Amino acid sequence: QNRQRRAHIDQLYRQQLTGINGLTPLTYHPDSTPNYSYFPVFVDADFGETRDALYNRLRSNGVIARRYFHPLLPDTQAYRNAHSADLSSARKLAQSVICLPMHGELIESDADYVCDKLKEYL
């Protein structure tokens, strides 16, 4: 039942975010069965606002979004000198993804509010 409620909110987010340049929800592989525990969105330059600026603006409006993969684990003090691989792709993704609120008790009007705040910048 909880998964079904999250699936409904996932669908609502996807419908409302359609056509917003620069915001791209994560797509699911057709052979997968999503659990809808998160709703990651990639923010690119076409949105006109960085992921961090969006994060701060949402927070200031009472929307608790998460900067996913922040900080990137290899950039933390414990791992900073433990790798030599090129992580530019991982860093780019980590700097562009934000997770919108998603839980089984989230109601439609709250999801609508989140989407309204996303559209407010446009």
Side-chain angles (χ1 to χ4, degrees):
Q1 187 178 27
N2 196 2
R3 185 181 164 279
Q4 288 175 337
R5 287 193 302 260
R6 291 190 317 261
H8 176 71
I9 296 298
D10 180 283
Q11 185 178 51
L12 191 146
Y13 276 148
R14 288 178 190 282
Q15 289 170 351
Q16 292 201 38
L17 296 181
T18 299
I20 299 178
N21 290 333
L23 291 184
T24 307
L26 180 70
T27 56
Y28 300 117
H29 188 278
D31 294 334
S32 70
T33 303
N35 65 9
Y36 305 104
S37 58
Y38 299 98
F39 193 83
V41 177
F42 296 96
V43 182
D44 67 37
D46 290 340
F47 185 62
E49 185 177 40
T50 67
R51 185 277 314 263
D52 286 346
L54 174 60
Y55 169 82
N56 289 325
R57 186 167 57 78
L58 290 173
R59 284 267 198 197
S60 70
N61 283 282
V63 176
I64 308 302
R66 288 187 50 221
R67 293 178 288 188
Y68 213 52
F69 305 121
H70 178 79
L72 190 63
L73 190 58
D75 293 339
T76 62
Q77 187 63 40
Y79 295 98
R80 191 164 287 146
N81 298 318
H83 61 85
S84 61
D86 175 13
L87 300 174
S88 57
S89 293
R91 283 194 179 92
K92 181 179 178 182
L93 287 173
Q95 292 169 353
S96 69
V97 67
I98 189 168
C99 287
L100 302 183
M102 175 61 81
H103 55 83
E105 300 300 316
L106 190 67
I107 58 175
E108 284 186 18
S109 60
D110 289 341
D112 290 340
Y113 178 80
V114 171
C115 292
D116 289 345
K117 293 302 165 190
L118 291 169
K119 296 172 188 176
E120 203 171 72
Y121 187 79
L122 303 176

